[in-house]
């Protein structure tokens, strides 16, 4: 069921929250061999019972009454584990509840459990996780994408109606694309990061993964807003994004980036969609982001640099797992970090330390920051001639498990998603076509800062009206 169907049925007493929950728990039992969900919380029935009691008393109900929601394993719910899929935090229990989860609970949602992910959200395949790899919901030999692979695969296989993910360089959109679901990375600062384990703080955002655009809009309307516990959150009014879905899309100007067209490996599906849009009163304009290709190298300097600093807090003394038989404090740090972090995380820490070290700081970190400014300007000027920009989410369909032997080759896969994080702008991925293996392909829609309304407007229009590719 869609999120809004559950809410309608629970509110109108057609179905009990406990029955909704029981249905999904049964689905999880049947389908979780893909390992998308790593824990179902032990108090879910109590949560559901409380909602049913509210319904029986005719209390005012929240906008997500009775909806089971899965959270990525890097988001805090007090008293529940949050391990970031790392051996280092395997037994860590959250000491407080994140703002995003609090907002969901305030609307009477049920937090059903934790989703698998790549360790510390670094990766594009959910293969590097202490919980064991997760599989694509539609093809067991393929990856679900990452790092929010568990969240997307769980939604796609119908084990949960929706989930939360986080996106630093594409981790919501790429797995959404690979599993045929809808995921948005909001404008930087639209959604609070309080209680979410940091990867690269200037790029991280939380966002919803859903079965369709309207559910996504509903969830983002709830998750957005200023938070005193996260200074980077924006005070701007939160629009009703569900209303944006209903608007007429005719007259929207949609941009296609010249430099993206040049690097697409396959564009038949994309061109078909463009023709459809043109034929339906949507103006297509060519825009230029001359340095868009630099987003990828810029990201792989800035993100590791920030990660290095954020991960410095894990030392085997406070919340992270301590190595045994250490002589002194230095050995505790060294051994615990050596044992606690996986290879990919260590690679990022080394890369981050390198680009931040004196002598290289200007050549790498500062230079990357300058290029970031340039890219931001290029996007702003592109948005003077269009309302939204479209491009594919990925080169193609989900890749095979174990396909990438060289980590840098996997980094290259993030080429289309990273620009939104570098520019701080919102971008959604919606399924729009099928590839040669009959697996979904995702379309990305970008808009300027805080213009999520335009994204939902166009996304919903394409979802409802464009059927040729599916
Ligand atoms: N794949 C990218 C990386 O490995 C993005 C990850 C993310 O968005 N968290 O860093």
């Amino acid at each position: 069921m869609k999120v809004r169907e559950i809410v309608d049925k629970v509110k109108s007493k057609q179905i009990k929250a406990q029955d909704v929950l029981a249905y999904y728990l049964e689905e999880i039992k049947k389908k979780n061999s893909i390992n998308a969900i790593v824990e179902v919380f032990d108090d879910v029935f109590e949560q559901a019972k409380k909602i049913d009691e509210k319904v029986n008393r005719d209390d005012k109900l929240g906008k997500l009454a009775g909806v089971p929601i899965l959270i990525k394993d890097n988001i805090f719910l007090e008293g529940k584990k949050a391990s970031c899929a790392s051996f280092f935090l395997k037994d860590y229990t959250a000491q407080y509840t994140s703002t995003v989860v609090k907002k969901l609970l305030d609307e009477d949602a049920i937090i059903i459990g934790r989703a698998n992910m790549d360790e510390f959200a670094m990766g594009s395949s959910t293969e590097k996780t202490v919980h064991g790899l997760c599989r694509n919901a539609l093809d067991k030999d393929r990856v679900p994408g990452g790092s929010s692979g568990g969240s997307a695969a769980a939604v796609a296989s119908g084990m949960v109606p929706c989930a939360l993910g986080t996106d630093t360089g594409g981790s919501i959109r790429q797995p959404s694309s690979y599993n045929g679901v809808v995921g948005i990375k909001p404008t930087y600062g639209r959604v609070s990061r309080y209680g979410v384990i940091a990867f690269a703080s200037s790029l991280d955002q939380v966002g919803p993964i859903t079965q369709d655009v309207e559910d996504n809009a509903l969830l983002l309307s709830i998750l957005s807003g200023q938070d005193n516990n996260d200074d980077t959150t924006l005070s701007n009014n939160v629009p009703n994004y569900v209303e944006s879905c209903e608007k007429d899309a005719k007259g929207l100007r949609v941009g296609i980036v010249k430099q993206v067209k040049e690097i697409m490996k396959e564009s038949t599906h994309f061109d078909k969609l463009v023709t459809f849009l043109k034929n339906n009163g949507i103006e297509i304009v060519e825009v230029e982001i001359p340095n868009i290709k630099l987003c990828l190298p810029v990201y792989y300097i800035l993100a590791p640099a920030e990660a290095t600093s954020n991960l410095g807090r894990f030392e085997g003394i406070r919340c992270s797992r301590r190595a045994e038989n250490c002589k002194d404090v230095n050995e505790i740090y060294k051994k615990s970090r050596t044992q606690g972090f996986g290879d990919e995380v260590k690679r990022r820490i080394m890369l981050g330390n390198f680009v931040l070290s004196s002598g290289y700081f200007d050549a790498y970190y500062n230079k990357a920051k300058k290029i970031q400014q340039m890219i931001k300007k290029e996007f702003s000027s592109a948005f003077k001639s269009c309302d939204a920009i479209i491009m594919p989410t990925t080169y193609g369909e989900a890749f095979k498990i174990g396909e990438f032997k060289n980590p840098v080759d996997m980094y290259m896969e993030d080429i289309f998603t990273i620009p939104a994080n570098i520019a701080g702008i919102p971008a959604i991925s919606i399924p729009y076509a099928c590839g040669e293996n009959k697996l979904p392909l995702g379309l990305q829609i970008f808009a300027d800062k805080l213009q999520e309304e335009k994204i939902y407007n166009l996304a919903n229009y394409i979802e409802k009206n464009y059927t040729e590719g599916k």
Side-chain angles (χ1 to χ4, degrees):
M1 275 186 285
K2 301 277 161 32
V3 168
R4 49 197 194 279
E5 286 166 353
I6 297 174
V7 178
D8 283 348
K9 288 196 172 139
V10 168
K11 282 191 173 173
S12 59
K13 301 186 183 175
Q14 288 177 59
I15 191 167
K16 288 204 289 190
Q18 291 170 84
D19 295 335
V20 173
L21 181 67
Y23 167 80
Y24 284 107
L25 293 179
E26 198 52 44
E27 292 300 292
I28 293 172
K29 249 192 225 155
K30 280 191 270 181
K31 297 173 175 167
N32 200 31
S33 57
I34 60 171
N35 202 23
I37 300 177
V38 297
E39 183 186 355
V40 172
F41 295 138
D42 54 10
D43 60 351
V44 279
F45 268 110
E46 283 149 48
Q47 294 185 51
K49 230 170 135 188
K50 275 192 200 137
I51 310 295
D52 286 331
E53 283 162 12
K54 270 183 134 175
V55 176
N56 289 338
R57 287 197 304 264
D58 289 319
D59 285 359
K60 191 175 175 328
L61 288 164
K63 295 189 196 98
L64 297 172
V67 179
I69 301 180
L70 183 71
I71 56 175
K72 189 173 175 179
D73 194 20
N74 58 353
I75 301 175
F76 291 168
L77 169 55
E78 190 184 338
K80 304 287 186 236
K81 282 186 179 169
S83 80
C84 240
S86 180
F87 177 67
F88 218 0
L89 296 181
K90 202 163 179 260
D91 301 312
Y92 177 70
T93 299
Q95 303 298 300
Y96 59 94
T97 296
S98 54
T99 300
V100 281
V101 168
K102 189 171 177 303
K103 280 174 180 270
L104 299 177
L105 291 172
D106 286 348
E107 296 294 344
D108 294 324
I110 294 162
I111 307 300
I112 191 167
R114 291 189 281 150
N116 208 347
M117 58 183 280
D118 281 298
E119 184 181 4
F120 283 103
M122 295 168 187
S124 311
S125 64
T126 318
E127 292 172 292
K128 310 254 167 50
T129 140
V130 75
H131 308 298
L133 64 81
C134 172
R135 292 171 192 276
N136 189 292
L138 309 166
D139 181 341
K140 309 283 174 283
D141 296 327
R142 291 176 192 262
V143 301
S147 62
S148 313
S151 303
V155 174
S157 57
M159 291 193 276
V160 291
C162 63
L164 293 189
T166 60
D167 190 313
T168 306
S171 278
I172 289 176
R173 290 160 286 153
Q174 183 254 24
S176 295
S177 170
Y178 281 178
N179 289 281
V181 291
V182 177
I184 193 166
K185 181 207 86 78
T187 302
Y188 183 74
R190 183 76 293 194
V191 176
S192 168
R193 295 170 297 113
Y194 178 68
V196 180
I197 301 176
F199 167 7
S201 309
S202 79
L203 307 167
D204 298 343
Q205 272 295 286
V206 180
I209 298 178
T210 56
Q211 302 159 69
D212 72 0
V213 174
E214 202 176 316
D215 273 1
N216 204 276
L218 171 65
L219 277 159
L220 190 65
S221 303
I222 291 162
L223 295 169
S224 298
Q226 194 173 22
D227 178 11
N228 290 335
N229 288 318
D230 178 354
D231 278 348
T232 62
T233 50
L234 303 166
S235 60
N236 305 60
N237 183 38
V238 179
N240 180 342
Y241 296 124
V242 177
E243 281 171 14
S244 327
C245 294
E246 288 149 13
K247 275 191 198 147
D248 191 1
K250 285 206 174 60
L252 280 179
R253 292 165 310 160
V254 173
I256 293 170
V257 183
K258 182 169 165 259
Q259 291 77 9
V260 168
K261 271 242 96 178
E262 287 163 8
I263 55 171
M264 278 164 58
K265 287 187 180 159
E266 203 281 331
S267 66
T268 333
H269 297 289
F270 187 78
D271 293 344
K272 239 182 167 178
L273 171 76
V274 171
T275 310
F276 167 85
L277 294 175
K278 269 188 200 156
N279 293 341
N280 284 278
I282 289 169
E283 190 188 332
I284 302 289
V285 293
E286 186 180 78
V287 294
E288 300 219 22
I289 314 280
N291 289 298
I292 197 159
K293 263 168 120 179
L294 293 180
C295 289
L296 191 83
V298 162
Y299 173 86
Y300 279 98
I301 288 170
L302 298 182
E306 292 184 29
T308 296
S309 141
N310 277 324
L311 299 184
R313 63 166 67 89
F314 302 113
E315 23 56 327
I317 292 180
R318 286 164 301 181
C319 47
S320 44
R321 192 178 182 284
R322 182 180 304 184
E324 282 165 12
N325 306 321
C326 297
K327 288 193 301 290
D328 55 26
V329 73
N330 276 329
E331 201 172 309
I332 294 179
Y333 290 167
K334 206 169 160 181
K335 265 197 177 171
S336 302
R337 288 171 67 82
T338 303
Q339 293 173 9
F341 290 130
D343 287 351
E344 184 57 32
V345 180
K346 284 179 188 155
R347 186 176 295 119
R348 307 281 178 117
I349 292 174
M350 285 191 277
L351 198 55
N353 275 312
F354 178 77
V355 300
L356 290 176
S357 55
S358 65
Y360 292 111
F361 187 78
D362 274 336
Y364 292 102
Y365 185 81
N366 271 345
K367 197 166 188 185
K369 272 291 188 197
K370 276 185 200 147
I371 298 173
Q372 181 181 26
Q373 284 315 316
M374 200 164 80
I375 288 161
K376 283 185 175 181
K377 278 190 199 137
E378 290 179 6
F379 268 105
S380 307
S381 69
F383 283 122
K384 286 195 180 110
S385 56
C386 64
D387 299 297
I389 287 175
I390 56 170
M391 70 178 78
T393 311
T394 59
Y395 280 121
E397 299 164 296
F399 51 88
K400 293 241 170 77
I401 291 170
E403 187 168 326
F404 288 103
K405 305 280 180 269
N406 177 350
V408 177
D409 291 340
M410 202 189 290
Y411 298 172
M412 304 293 278
E413 291 288 302
D414 300 333
I415 187 121
F416 300 122
T417 52
I418 280 175
N421 305 76
I422 295 298
I425 57 176
I428 202 168
S429 176
I430 59 168
Y432 85 109
C434 258
E436 50 185 11
N437 300 297
K438 300 272 170 289
L439 291 169
L441 296 170
L443 175 80
Q444 263 190 119
I445 306 172
F446 294 64
D448 206 353
K449 263 195 187 135
L450 291 170
Q451 298 299 308
E452 278 86 351
E453 288 169 280
K454 287 179 182 164
I455 289 183
Y456 284 122
N457 186 184
L458 182 63
N460 189 60
Y461 176 78
I462 295 173
E463 181 185 83
K464 295 280 140 50
N465 298 289
Y466 181 70
T467 47
E468 278 167 63
K470 287 181 196 157

